[in-house]
């Protein structure tokens, strides 16, 4: 037997990018590649890039520089290292990457990962391989499934891509160009993947997609199913205690999905619902196709279906033409909703998008000032949200060992990290925890008396 070759995959992007990294490693496993956590000893280093903002896109070139030094070192020792660039920068820039970075052996676009084993073989024979086509075949069918060992190593919480691509064309965004048109995977194929994860110990599944609630995959009867219907189907999979989904668009928040929040205890009471701006003028310029009122109505309908729902969002400040008043509207919208947290971004011009050509670009220092003001507001909301749980009991999914001996770290229904003293055999169980204190990014708690009594049943459901 030859020793297995090693592959290191590094993610730079969103959760779908992370999911893709796992699936690349899964697909290379049958071709004889073992995954390694460090690039130094890898035979193939895959950089899975993100193109969403300029900073993210530029990071790839500095990273290529760093890996090139390792490649030269390996060559000096007579060992061949291949550098592959995957993901959304690869999709957008293709050949340009090879031109700018001579050390790159292989460029693979976001829809072609199933072809990696063959592409690597070609690169090993000295060819520079570039594949950024949008293929006709379904990459999800062609990608290898993870082994139970690989699943277990990734923990009790897993992502599953159910929808990909975007047809919405917000004027600031590269995703419709880097990920292509919207597609949805069939319900039963997703159910098989989720059942396999559950069998290997996964307890929480987050369904992901650029516009996950635009999901319209084929159901068992062949008709298009909604995300609400998919969630109902997955809530029947034995072993799955928690379901989540992200990222959703306000315009696709249909009645069926809202009803799922009312009906499914496994569906966590936490919705990430990006709004970008609180100004109708900016929302129109961004081509979001909804108003501030529409967004607030969606939030109200969700809250009516389930009273304990918490919301997070994405915001862009300093979009072209944004005035002080437009920005004030964003602050007031955040005040009105009362978020549990949010991702906040200064607008970043992306080549090829309509907004990059618009007049009224806001000076960088003004973008930064607005960003800081919004961040201060969101930080206060997040602190208040976390503090509201002190003295309350929350169900916590225990995920892994903490830093202190005897400590475990888990997640609340609201995605808060929770530290608690608990025995290791409770990893993978959902246990009630009394919240005692909050830190900057974590809650601290103590196992409620009933926790141990519940544990054997939860652990039994897993095996
Ligand atoms: N599909 C999701 C978002 C995907 S991108 C949605 O529609 O909500 C994640 C976030 O990055 C966006 O919500 C937006 O806030 C931010 N973003 C996208 N393009 C950006 C740009 N050019 N500049 C700054 N932030 C951007
Ligand atoms: Fe980008 Fe808009 Fe599509 Fe989200 S909905 S991925 S922000 S174009
Ligand atoms: Fe980035 Fe591509 Fe995700 S641009 S945010 S990795 S879809």
């Amino acid at each position: 037997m030859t020793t297995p070759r090693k592959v290191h995959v590094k993610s730079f992007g969103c959760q779908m990018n992370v999911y893709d990294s796992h699936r690349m490693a899964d697909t290379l496993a049958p071709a004889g590649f073992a995954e390694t956590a460090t690039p130094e000893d890898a035979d193939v280093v895959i950089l899975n890039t993100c193109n969403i903002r300029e900073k993210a896109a530029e990071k790839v070139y500095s990273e290529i520089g760093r890996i090139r030094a390792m490649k030269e070192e390996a060559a000096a020792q007579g060992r061949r290292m291949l550098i592959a660039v995957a993901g959304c920068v690869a999709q957008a820039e293709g050949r340009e990457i090879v031109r700018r970075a001579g050390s790159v052996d292989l460029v693979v676009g976001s829809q072609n990962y199933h072809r990696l084993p063959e592409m690597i073989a070609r690169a090993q024979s000295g060819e520079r391989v570039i594949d950024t086509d949008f293929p006709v075949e379904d990459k999800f069918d062609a990608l290898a499934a993870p082994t139970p060992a690989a699943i277990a190593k990734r923990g009790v919480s897993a992502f599953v891509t159910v929808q990909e691509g975007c047809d919405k064309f917000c004027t600031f965004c590269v995703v419709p160009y880097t990920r292509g048109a919207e597609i949805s995977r069939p319900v039963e194929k997703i159910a098989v993947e989720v059942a396999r994860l559950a069998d290997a110990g996964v307890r929480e599944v987050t369904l992901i997609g650029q516009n996950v609630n635009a999901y319209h995959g084929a159901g068992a009867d062949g008709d298009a199913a909604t995300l609400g219907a998919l969630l109902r189907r997955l809530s029947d999979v034995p072993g799955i205690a928690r379901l989540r989904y992200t990222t959703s668009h306000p315009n696709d928040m249909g009645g069926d999905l809202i009803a799922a929040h009312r009906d499914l205890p496994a569906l966590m009471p936490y919705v990430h619902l990006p709004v970008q701006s609180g100004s109708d003028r900016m929302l129109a310029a961004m081509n979001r196709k909804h108003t501030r009122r529409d967004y607030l109505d969606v939030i109200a309908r969700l809250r009516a279906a389930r009273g304990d729902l918490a919301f997070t969002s994405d915001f862009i400040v300093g979009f072209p033409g944004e005035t002080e008043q437009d920005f004030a509207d964003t602050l007031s919208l955040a005040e009105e909703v009362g978020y549990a947290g949010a991702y906040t971004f200064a607008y970043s011009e992306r080549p090829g998008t309509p907004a990059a050509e618009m007049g009224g670009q806001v000076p960088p220092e003004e973008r930064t000032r607005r960003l800081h003001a919004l961040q201060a507001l969101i930080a206060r909301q997040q602190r208040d949200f976390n503090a509201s749980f002190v003295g309350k009991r929350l169900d916590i999914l225990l995920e892994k060992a903490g830093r202190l001996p005897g400590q475990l770290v888990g997640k609340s229904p609201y995605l808060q990290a929770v530290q608690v003293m608990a025995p290791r055999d409770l990893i993978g169980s959902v246990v009630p925890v009394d919240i005692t204190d909050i830190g900057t990014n974590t809650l601290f708690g103590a196992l409620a008396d009933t926790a141990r009594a519940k544990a054997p049943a939860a652990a039994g459901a897993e095996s």
Side-chain angles (χ1 to χ4, degrees):
M1 278 289 287
T2 51
T3 47
R5 291 174 296 170
K6 291 185 187 161
V7 60
H8 173 75
V9 193
K10 182 164 179 185
S11 269
F12 291 86
C14 60
Q15 288 154 335
M16 305 191 64
N17 179 279
V18 174
Y19 175 85
D20 286 344
S21 292
H22 289 327
R23 298 305 298 270
M24 284 190 247
D26 296 338
T27 291
L28 287 169
F33 283 93
E35 210 176 340
T36 170
T38 47
E40 286 85 354
D41 57 335
D43 301 289
V44 178
V45 175
I46 302 178
L47 304 177
N48 195 8
T49 60
C50 173
N51 202 16
I52 199 82
R53 285 167 290 276
E54 191 180 358
K55 247 202 217 127
E58 280 305 316
K59 224 187 267 167
V60 53
Y61 288 102
S62 56
E63 190 66 13
I64 291 171
R66 214 170 67 86
I67 306 291
R68 188 188 57 210
M70 292 175 201
K71 178 177 176 163
E72 285 162 2
E73 184 119 331
Q77 297 163 5
R79 193 163 63 83
R80 177 104 182 267
M81 182 190 277
L82 293 182
I83 303 181
V85 178
C88 290
V89 178
Q91 189 64 53
E93 295 186 10
R95 199 161 294 277
E96 176 63 22
I97 297 177
V98 175
R99 234 193 320 265
R100 259 183 83 173
S103 57
V104 170
D105 301 283
L106 193 161
V107 176
V108 55
S110 54
Q111 304 303 323
N112 301 305
Y113 301 143
H114 54 297
R115 296 183 185 159
L116 264 173
E118 172 244 340
M119 291 175 72
I120 288 175
R122 276 164 54 203
Q124 269 161 342
S125 63
E127 197 184 329
R128 290 187 103 188
V129 189
I130 301 169
D131 190 350
T132 55
D133 297 343
F134 284 111
V136 285
E137 74 267 24
D138 181 350
K139 79 169 169 186
F140 292 105
D141 279 342
L143 286 165
T147 61
I151 296 171
K153 215 170 79 191
R154 290 168 195 164
V156 299
S157 180
F159 296 128
V160 173
T161 295
V162 301
Q163 179 278 338
E164 202 173 3
C166 182
D167 299 335
K168 296 219 163 27
F169 292 91
C170 300
T171 52
F172 51 80
C173 186
V174 293
V175 170
Y177 312 99
T178 64
R179 289 276 172 170
E182 246 175 43
I183 60 114
S184 297
R185 300 174 64 197
V187 171
E188 288 312 312
K189 287 193 179 163
I190 296 164
V192 166
E193 183 171 339
V194 169
R196 187 180 297 122
L197 292 170
D199 285 346
V202 167
R203 305 300 312 281
E204 175 180 86
V205 166
T206 304
L207 308 181
I208 52 177
Q210 267 91 21
N211 275 295
V212 72
N213 56 345
Y215 177 83
H216 59 272
D221 57 4
D223 290 346
T226 62
L227 184 65
L230 176 64
L231 286 162
R232 278 172 213 272
R233 169 72 183 85
L234 298 180
S235 68
D236 293 337
V237 175
I240 295 298
R242 290 181 162 186
L243 292 168
R244 304 177 182 278
Y245 62 90
T246 198
T247 295
S248 36
H249 192 287
N251 291 357
D252 294 316
M253 198 44 88
D256 192 35
L257 180 54
I258 293 176
H261 277 285
R262 183 194 61 209
D263 301 338
L264 300 178
L267 182 54
M268 290 295 102
Y270 177 92
V271 180
H272 182 61
L273 198 59
V275 66
Q276 316 300 354
S277 170
S279 152
D280 282 341
R281 232 172 52 80
M282 288 300 101
L283 289 169
M286 289 173 168
N287 192 33
R288 291 291 290 182
K289 299 200 182 82
H290 65 77
T291 63
R292 173 190 177 105
R293 185 76 259 152
D294 297 333
Y295 180 83
L296 290 170
D297 284 348
V298 169
I299 297 248
R301 283 166 57 215
L302 279 157
R303 280 192 168 136
R306 187 159 176 178
D308 61 348
L309 273 184
F311 292 92
T312 56
S313 195
D314 292 348
F315 291 94
I316 295 178
V317 299
F319 186 81
E322 185 185 76
T323 63
E324 200 50 52
Q325 181 56 48
D326 294 317
F327 177 59
D329 290 346
T330 293
L331 294 176
S332 79
L333 176 95
E335 290 282 10
E336 201 167 334
V337 174
Y339 288 105
Y343 296 104
T344 52
F345 306 105
Y347 170 69
S348 167
E349 289 94 338
R350 306 308 295 126
T353 61
E357 312 295 322
M358 288 179 185
Q361 300 283 335
V362 176
E365 50 297 351
E366 183 56 23
R367 292 183 207 181
T368 307
R369 193 191 64 77
R370 291 178 192 174
L371 183 65
H372 290 162
L374 179 59
Q375 280 170 342
L377 169 58
I378 297 294
R380 174 169 61 70
Q381 293 191 331
Q382 188 167 8
R383 231 176 9 252
D384 291 350
F385 179 74
N386 289 342
S388 73
F389 293 101
V390 174
K392 298 221 172 85
R393 185 169 289 186
L394 284 174
D395 282 336
I396 306 302
L397 170 60
L398 296 172
E399 293 189 312
K400 55 184 179 204
R403 268 188 296 127
L404 302 176
Q407 187 188 56
L408 297 185
V409 186
K411 236 189 281 132
S412 81
Y414 305 104
L415 278 187
Q416 296 145 306
V418 181
Q419 297 182 9
V420 57
M421 300 305 281
R424 275 193 84 105
D425 63 350
L426 285 183
I427 290 177
S429 298
V430 177
V431 297
V433 169
D434 292 322
I435 304 302
T436 51
D437 202 1
I438 59 167
T440 24
N441 286 312
T442 26
L443 307 183
F444 301 95
L447 272 189
D449 304 336
T450 52
R452 292 249 41 158
K454 262 187 145 182
E462 250 181 20
S463 52

